[in-house]
């Protein structure tokens, strides 16, 4: 099946738009070798452009070997024109990964957005003033690449108490968001033909980061319980395994203990390290958060955390808890990359934790997010009684499975025309075809009223297409 959408307001010629969309579909195996694609006349009629425009795009694709035409039989996808499945992917469009923050005209169900309007401005401002007025001059100078001792000490206690993380403060490296921690890992483990095992589906950002650093990806499909560890390859040269055991993104599964132990045993046997991305488990609405994987084997697990969801992504503060054997190499890389993360912000954050503001803030936000989640689920169930909600009640997003609605790019565009942004799970999938009826819906940044309106508009868009 082929879906082409033409953006008539774009400066890009329509021929180019058609050419690029078919090329991408072939490269990513959405169109399989041997599959028949519509005739130029059919496609021109479907998308409402002149046949010459489509002809020109097809000519280009034929010239590059993506498709071939057989007289009287039709046009087909050529053999060997897709990227090897299960190994390497080109980065997803960077535009998707760089949201336009000024564009507030949409109801945006983007999963990464927390409630930034609830940032504790007053307390943060008071602490910033105190730090600025009272700290010794040294705070304004260069500092240690691992980060301020004060913050690392407080953080190690906090992580032990709330996440079961076992570490000495000297194993903690303060980074510019979790993103920089992933970047440091990609640099420290870089070698020729480097490969990383990752959950599938996975966020564009993390996938792109490792691909851009030269890694190829070995995907392991996830189910309702996270990574399917029995599908790990019997032998591997991968030195890294990326996993989100507390709340898989996007599917929301929590890795059961049997899979955790299997994963750790696998990492031990293959001499690899596990990257544990623990990005949002502070907000667990049913039961209590499952302790970290790191606590089971601090020598094998690189634990990554962030303050982007709890406080604000604008702060750009995250951290890596490193196995002792890696700390020296990582702190050197960090120094080479940007010396260290802002000492002023680190000190303010340390005070915020020490004085108990963090716990209070999390308690408050949990109530707000719980209500938003409930509103989203009840609105979805009211408008679409047949859907199911997937994943654990944690974090600030969920996945809705619509059973009989396929989220094609045409439908996504129609939904956008209703002023709503949704995110098909299929876009996050490395191996295509398994998540066509599912969307990721973030509720963190949306008030209950906006959520209801968004779901209502979503229904209108789906009805208009069907
Ligand atoms: C799965 C996942 N991990 C980590 C992060 C946090 O990244 P950062 O701390 O760089 O903002 C995000 C952000 O959206 C995410 O989606």
């Amino acid at each position: 099946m082929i879906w082409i959408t033409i953006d008539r307001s774009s400066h890009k010629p329509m021929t180019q738009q058609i050419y690029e969309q078919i090329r991408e579909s072939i490269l990513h195996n959405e169109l399989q070798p041997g599959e028949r694609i519509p005739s130029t006349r059919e496609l021109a009629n479907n998308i409402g452009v002149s046949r010459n425009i489509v002809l020109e795009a097809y000519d280009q694709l034929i010239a590059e070997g993506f498709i071939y035409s057989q007289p009287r039989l039709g046009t087909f996808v050529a053999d060997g024109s897709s990227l090897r499945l299960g190994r390497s992917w080109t980065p997803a469009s960077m535009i998707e990964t760089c949201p336009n923050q000024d564009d507030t005209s949409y109801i945006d169900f983007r999963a990464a957005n927390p409630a930034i309007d609830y940032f504790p401005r007053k307390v943060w401002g008071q602490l910033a003033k105190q730090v600025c007025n009272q700290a010794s001059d040294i705070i304004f100078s260069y500092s240690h690449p691992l980060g301020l001792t004060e913050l690392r000490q407080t953080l190690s206690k906090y992580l032990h108490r709330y996440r079961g993380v076992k570490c000495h403060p000297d194993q903690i490296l303060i980074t510019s968001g979790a993103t920089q921690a992933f970047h440091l890992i990609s640099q420290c483990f870089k070698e020729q033909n480097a490969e990383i095992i990752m959950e599938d589906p996975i966020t564009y950002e993390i996938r792109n980061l490792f691909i851009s650093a030269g890694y190829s990806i070995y995907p392991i499909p996830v189910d309702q319980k996270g990574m399917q560890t029995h599908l790990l390859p019997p032998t591997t040269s991968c030195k890294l395994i990326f996993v989100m055991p507390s709340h898989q993104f996007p599917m929301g599964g929590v890795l059961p203990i049997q899979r955790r132990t299997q994963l750790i045993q696998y990492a031990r046997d293959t001499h690899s390290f596990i990257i544990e991305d623990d990005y949002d488990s502070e907000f667990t609405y049913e039961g209590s958060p499952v302790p970290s994987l790191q606590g089971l084997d601090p020598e094998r697990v690189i634990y990554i955390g962030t303050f982007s969801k709890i406080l604000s992504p604008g702060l750009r503060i995250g951290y890596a808890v490193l196995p002792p054997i890696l700390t020296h190499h990582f702190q050197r890389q960090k120094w080479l990359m940007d010396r260290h993360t802002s000492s002023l912000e680190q000190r303010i954050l340390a005070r915020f934790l020490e004085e108990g503001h963090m716990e209070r803030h999390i308690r408050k936000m949990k109530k707000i997010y719980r209500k938003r989640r409930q509103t989203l689920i009840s609105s979805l169930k009211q408008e679409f009684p047949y859907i199911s909600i997937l994943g654990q009640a944690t974090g600030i997003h969920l996945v809705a499975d619509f059973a009989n609605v396929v989220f094609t790019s045409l439908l996504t565009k129609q939904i956008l025309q209703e002023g709503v942004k949704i995110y098909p799970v299929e876009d996050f999938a490395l191996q295509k075809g398994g998540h066509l009826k599912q969307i990721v819906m973030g509720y963190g940044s949306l008030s209950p009223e906006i959520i209801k309106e968004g779901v209502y508009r979503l229904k209108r868009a789906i009805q208009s297409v069907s």
Side-chain angles (χ1 to χ4, degrees):
M1 197 60 185
I2 186 168
W3 294 102
I4 305 282
T5 43
I6 296 292
D7 182 355
R8 286 169 203 278
S9 60
S10 165
H11 61 273
K12 200 181 273 181
M14 287 194 267
T15 299
Q16 186 69 13
Q17 294 186 36
I18 297 167
Y19 158 80
E20 281 179 6
Q21 288 178 51
I22 297 179
R23 184 176 177 278
E24 284 302 295
S25 302
I26 295 174
L27 279 173
H28 294 99
N29 264 292
E30 289 149 22
L31 285 170
Q32 311 276 328
E35 190 172 336
R36 187 178 172 280
I37 63 171
S39 69
T40 48
R41 196 185 306 277
E42 262 180 279
L43 185 59
N45 279 343
N46 283 350
I47 59 180
V49 300
S50 88
R51 191 173 163 217
N52 275 346
I53 288 175
V54 181
L55 258 175
E56 226 180 291
Y58 275 34
D59 281 349
Q60 182 65 25
L61 290 161
I62 290 172
E64 291 182 25
F66 284 99
I67 58 174
Y68 61 95
S69 87
Q70 279 200 316
R72 286 191 299 279
L73 289 177
T75 307
F76 300 86
V77 177
D79 272 336
S81 51
S82 63
L83 290 172
R84 200 154 46 110
L85 238 166
R87 287 287 159 177
S88 97
W89 286 265
T90 43
S93 158
M94 289 312 283
I95 293 162
E96 289 164 318
T97 69
C98 303
N100 177 3
Q101 301 293 359
D102 299 332
D103 192 355
T104 51
S105 55
Y106 289 97
I107 298 178
D108 190 352
F109 285 101
R110 190 177 154 82
N113 294 348
I116 44 175
D117 47 338
Y118 279 91
F119 182 78
R121 286 180 189 239
K122 198 166 162 208
V123 177
W124 195 268
Q126 282 163 352
L127 292 174
K129 197 169 166 193
Q130 276 171 27
V131 168
C132 206
N133 289 340
Q134 294 164 11
S136 63
D137 290 349
I138 198 80
I139 195 92
F140 301 106
S141 182
Y142 284 113
S143 181
H144 197 282
L146 282 181
L148 290 196
T149 312
E150 183 185 338
L151 176 59
R152 289 185 288 112
Q153 279 172 344
T154 314
L155 198 52
S156 72
K157 284 186 216 138
Y158 171 87
L159 290 175
H160 186 249
R161 180 154 170 217
Y162 290 103
R163 304 296 305 120
V165 168
K166 294 177 189 154
C167 71
H168 186 275
D170 288 350
Q171 287 171 252
I172 299 181
L173 169 67
I174 306 297
T175 56
S176 171
T179 304
Q180 190 185 46
F182 301 139
H183 196 56
L184 285 165
I185 295 171
S186 75
Q187 294 307 308
C188 288
F189 284 88
K190 203 169 176 168
E191 57 184 19
Q192 255 202 338
N193 305 321
E195 234 184 338
I196 178 168
I197 292 175
M198 276 190 170
E199 295 165 328
D200 177 17
I202 179 114
T203 68
Y204 316 115
E205 287 88 348
I206 294 166
R207 181 203 330 175
N208 284 347
L209 188 150
F210 280 95
I211 291 174
S212 304
Y215 285 71
S216 46
I217 294 174
Y218 192 103
I220 304 290
V222 305
D223 63 12
Q224 290 263 40
K225 293 178 179 168
M227 180 185 265
Q228 299 188 61
T229 43
H230 65 280
L231 298 177
L232 286 161
T235 57
T236 182
S237 57
C238 291
K239 290 281 160 280
L240 295 171
I241 307 166
F242 184 92
V243 67
M244 293 178 257
S246 302
H247 192 222
Q248 202 278 332
F249 186 92
M251 301 307 290
V254 175
L255 205 67
I257 186 65
Q258 291 78 8
R259 293 190 190 183
R260 287 175 188 242
T261 51
Q262 197 178 0
L263 186 59
I264 286 173
Q265 194 53 53
Y266 183 82
R268 287 178 184 171
D269 294 344
T270 56
H271 308 288
S272 46
F273 286 94
I274 299 167
I275 306 168
E276 175 177 16
D277 181 7
D278 196 9
Y279 62 102
D280 72 357
S281 56
E282 288 84 1
F283 302 122
T284 299
Y285 311 109
E286 284 164 13
S288 42
V290 183
S292 70
L293 192 65
Q294 193 270 2
L296 295 176
D297 192 344
E299 307 284 322
R300 280 282 140 212
V301 179
I302 305 172
Y303 175 90
I304 308 294
T306 178
F307 292 98
S308 287
K309 312 279 175 185
I310 322 178
L311 275 173
S312 140
L315 268 184
R316 305 310 306 135
I317 301 188
Y319 50 91
V321 179
L322 300 160
I325 196 171
L326 297 179
T327 50
H328 182 72
H329 194 22
F330 271 70
Q331 78 182 50
R332 190 171 170 274
Q333 278 294 335
K334 169 75 178 167
W335 182 251
L336 291 173
M337 204 175 273
D338 66 352
R339 300 297 186 253
H340 59 81
T341 299
S342 158
S343 309
L344 281 170
E345 298 300 327
Q346 287 189 62
R347 173 128 324 152
I348 301 167
L349 179 58
R351 296 274 163 87
F352 194 79
L353 281 158
E354 279 159 17
E355 293 179 13
H357 300 297
M358 188 67 88
E359 271 111 325
R360 275 193 290 281
H361 183 65
I362 291 175
R363 268 201 305 277
K364 174 176 161 185
M365 295 315 296
K366 233 170 132 166
K367 276 191 205 144
I368 291 163
Y369 290 145
R370 179 183 278 121
K371 184 157 182 231
R372 292 180 178 192
R373 181 180 170 85
Q374 281 164 352
T375 306
L376 178 56
I377 294 176
S378 56
S379 312
L380 282 169
K381 293 221 156 135
Q382 188 184 326
E383 304 293 357
F384 310 96
Y386 50 85
I387 68 160
S388 17
I389 305 299
L390 307 183
Q392 199 74 7
T394 299
I396 52 176
H397 79 271
L398 55 78
V399 168
D401 187 319
F402 281 71
N404 56 5
V405 180
V406 174
F407 287 89
T408 59
S409 49
L410 181 73
L411 178 54
T412 310
K413 275 230 155 158
Q414 187 62 36
I415 295 167
L416 200 62
Q417 271 174 18
E418 288 283 350
V420 176
K421 287 189 184 173
I422 49 99
Y423 298 85
V425 176
E426 192 65 12
D427 290 354
F428 298 96
L430 296 166
Q431 317 227 45
K432 297 291 182 189
H435 301 276
L436 296 164
K437 296 165 186 170
Q438 298 164 348
I439 54 173
V440 187
M441 300 184 84
Y443 46 84
S445 62
L446 305 174
S447 69
E449 295 68 39
I450 299 285
I451 289 173
K452 283 185 206 158
E453 175 64 21
V455 173
Y456 173 71
R457 291 195 205 173
L458 178 64
K459 183 181 177 188
R460 217 163 46 192
I462 290 175
Q463 276 177 342
S464 76
V465 168
S466 60

